[in-house]
Amino acid sequence: MSSDNADITQPKAANVTMDTIVSLCKRRGFVFQSSEIYGGFGSTYDYGPLGVELLRNVRNLWWRSVVQERDDVVGLEASILGPEAVYVASGHVTNFSDPLVDCKQCKMRWRLDHLDEGQYETQYGPTKRNKEGQIVCPNCAGELTEPRKFNLMFKTGIGVIEDESSIAYLRPETAQGMFINFSTIQTATRRKLPFGIAQIGKSFRNEITPGNFVFRTREFEQAEMEFFVKPGTDDHWHEYWVKERHEWYLRYGLTPERLRIRPHGKEELSFYSKATSDVEYLFPWGWGELEGIANRTNYDLTQHAKHSGKDLSYFDEETKEHIVPFVIEPAAGITRTALTFLIDAYDEEPDKDGTRVVLRFHKSVAPIKVAILPLSKKEPLINLAHQLEKKLRKHWTIQYDETQAIGRRYRRQDEIGTPFCVTVDFESLEDNAVTIRERDSMAQVRIAIPELLDALKERLNDD
Ligand code: GAP
């Protein structure tokens, strides 16, 4: 095959650099370095006005699809702080660690598995080895130490007395809340297998190599669901959830060619997993995990039953037997998904003033749904524009903007991905109509004001 042909069949990452995304995010108030006026705080980020709307949309779309549209999944909001016993039982105290190596020369610290996988190559070039074939420091080619295990959990203490019993952890995944509450929720809801418990919330990991903006951070948000099934049906449900979750990303507009499903090799599996498939996205730096869908077997319930001394089994009415359910777990990142939507939506096209930057968000993902733009700041016009704004705010997130030329205002909305602009002009006072301008095609249609709400509902509501 010629290289030209090969090019056609190869998926291409979004045509944007991370520098461009980072700068747009700060300039327009999506997300920026936390504690910046104090020099920034290690790999933590604050979400501004547009970022919070974006995150809220991602959360709501996940919740709607995984919980509200189904009759076999219920919700939970468990505490973030947990006692040591939970994480001893779950295996995190012993196993949740990364192999670290230090450079003996420049003292930089690396994750050995990431060195092996070539994850530092974008920044430091191809993985370097010495004459003996051992990996050397990507930064200075110095010799590396033997790997050491470094636990990723944030440890803290509760109460005033510091002893063994006061040790607590910030949760490293939301999942454990679902396992330790399994029996309480099953009894309260009288659910039969299969059924799931879902949760969205913050998790914390002391990542050694955070990076790529909010892709890997120490404080992040997860959306996880533990789907409890009868043993023996687990392979079927695993396949089912991989497909469901893949379709969710497609439904909300990610470019199909930039998505793939990658089953984990045996050596890569987490300590609790029988099989895991990742939904991966082709980021500007290469393929990366967007979500993992794991078959956690009965590992967690068995462990918690053993360590807590409580019966966490399920009574199967059909067979009259007590069983420990298997668990299929789709585990997504809300913050990582928001970043992916941003990257995938980014587009630039030439226009008469230079370049039009457009975030081509799916309408349900877009932080602002409608912008109201009066053509002038004069009285009768802005009165009408404010009336419309007030009415539409009951339905969607709205921005009202009356400053600068209309062309610039359209560009400002394009750059944050607003699907529709409503322009109020002098004729509106005569014909009682406004113009709806669509972001992607820039097509404009005149709509009678009494029909505006329905016209926007038809365009914006997602079914
Ligand atoms: N309960 C299973 C679990 O936590 P994981 O693959 O470690 O599995 C699931 O995490 C998802 O959470 C990832 O696919 C990613 O989207 C998100 N995630 C994990 N670590 C993250 C981090 N340090 N920063 C941002 N997102 C992260």
Side-chain angles (χ1 to χ4, degrees), residues 96 172-175 203 205 207 214-224 226 249 270 272 278-279 289-292 294 296 329 331-337:
F96 195 55
E173 57 172 8
T174 59
S203 294
R205 297 180 189 175
E207 299 280 5
V214 295
F215 178 81
R216 183 176 291 106
T217 48
R218 299 200 168 101
E219 175 179 340
F220 55 98
E221 194 170 339
Q222 288 188 306
E224 299 195 290
E226 310 304 319
Y249 292 102
S270 306
Y272 49 71
D278 286 347
V279 179
E289 175 186 337
L290 200 46
E291 163 159 0
R296 291 181 79 128
E329 176 195 69
I334 294 291
T335 35
R336 192 175 287 184
T337 301

Side-chain angles (χ1 to χ4, degrees), residues 140-386:
C140 72
E143 194 187 336
L144 299 172
T145 59
E146 285 299 308
R148 290 177 300 111
K149 275 178 139 194
F150 177 84
N151 196 290
L152 298 184
M153 283 195 296
F154 282 101
K155 198 175 187 176
T156 182
I158 49 158
V160 284
I161 298 166
E162 256 185 60
D163 62 12
E164 287 292 294
S165 67
S166 70
I167 296 176
Y169 290 97
L170 298 187
R171 65 184 177 201
E173 57 172 8
T174 59
Q176 295 306 319
M178 276 78 100
F179 297 125
I180 60 180
N181 289 301
F182 167 73
S183 282
T184 308
I185 291 177
Q186 196 263 325
T187 310
T189 59
R190 291 178 287 114
R191 292 277 157 175
K192 302 234 175 312
L193 296 183
F195 79 95
I197 308 177
Q199 168 163 223
I200 295 179
K202 290 240 172 151
S203 294
F204 302 82
R205 297 180 189 175
N206 199 0
E207 299 280 5
I208 305 313
T209 45
N212 285 327
F213 197 28
V214 295
F215 178 81
R216 183 176 291 106
T217 48
R218 299 200 168 101
E219 175 179 340
F220 55 98
E221 194 170 339
Q222 288 188 306
E224 299 195 290
M225 197 269 289
E226 310 304 319
F227 200 68
F228 299 93
V229 305
K230 288 188 186 177
T233 64
D234 50 312
D235 290 340
H236 157 76
W237 284 111
H238 189 218
E239 218 173 280
Y240 169 90
W241 278 108
V242 171
K243 189 161 168 280
E244 275 292 298
R245 294 301 305 144
H246 183 199
E247 280 168 7
W248 184 86
Y249 292 102
L250 292 170
R251 178 172 163 191
Y252 292 107
L254 289 189
T255 306
E257 299 72 40
R258 293 185 198 138
L259 281 175
R260 73 177 185 191
I261 304 294
R262 192 183 64 81
H264 281 204
K266 283 264 173 293
E267 69 298 338
E268 242 190 296
L269 290 175
S270 306
F271 58 91
Y272 49 71
S273 170
K274 167 181 161 187
T276 297
S277 284
D278 286 347
V279 179
E280 291 192 335
Y281 177 79
L282 185 56
F283 290 95
W285 61 87
W287 289 98
E289 175 186 337
L290 200 46
E291 163 159 0
I293 299 109
N295 181 343
R296 291 181 79 128
T297 69
N298 57 10
Y299 174 85
D300 300 88
L301 287 180
T302 307
Q303 284 294 105
H304 286 302
K306 198 164 98 189
H307 284 255
S308 68
K310 299 286 186 307
D311 178 14
L312 299 180
S313 66
Y314 167 89
F315 183 67
D316 187 344
E317 301 280 356
E318 277 169 30
T319 60
K320 307 289 178 213
E321 281 176 351
H322 284 273
I323 54 171
V324 182
F326 268 43
V327 173
I328 306 303
E329 176 195 69
I334 294 291
T335 35
R336 192 175 287 184
T337 301
L339 171 69
T340 311
F341 280 141
L342 266 162
I343 292 171
D344 202 65
Y346 188 91
D347 197 13
E348 285 179 7
E349 59 183 27
D351 74 353
K352 61 176 170 29
D353 305 319
T355 306
R356 178 170 96 109
V357 173
V358 200
L359 289 183
R360 298 191 193 276
F361 282 134
H362 184 281
K363 60 190 176 183
S364 300
V365 171
I368 303 295
K369 306 296 185 206
V370 182
I372 311 278
L373 313 176
L375 217 55
S376 125
K377 287 185 194 168
K378 298 251 163 61
E379 255 310 329
L381 218 58
I382 58 166
N383 274 352
L384 177 58
H386 279 308

Side-chain angles (χ1 to χ4, degrees), residues 72-101:
D72 56 0
V73 179
V74 294
L76 170 72
E77 195 151 322
S79 65
I80 288 174
L81 277 173
E84 186 170 44
V86 168
Y87 295 103
V88 169
S90 70
H92 284 86
V93 169
T94 317
N95 296 316
F96 195 55
S97 50
D98 285 337
L100 289 193
V101 289

Side-chain angles (χ1 to χ4, degrees), residues 436-450:
I436 298 183
R437 182 251 194 198
E438 198 270 332
R439 177 195 67 205
D440 293 344
S441 62
M442 295 187 277
Q444 304 197 2
V445 281
R446 196 81 182 157
I447 300 276
I449 289 177

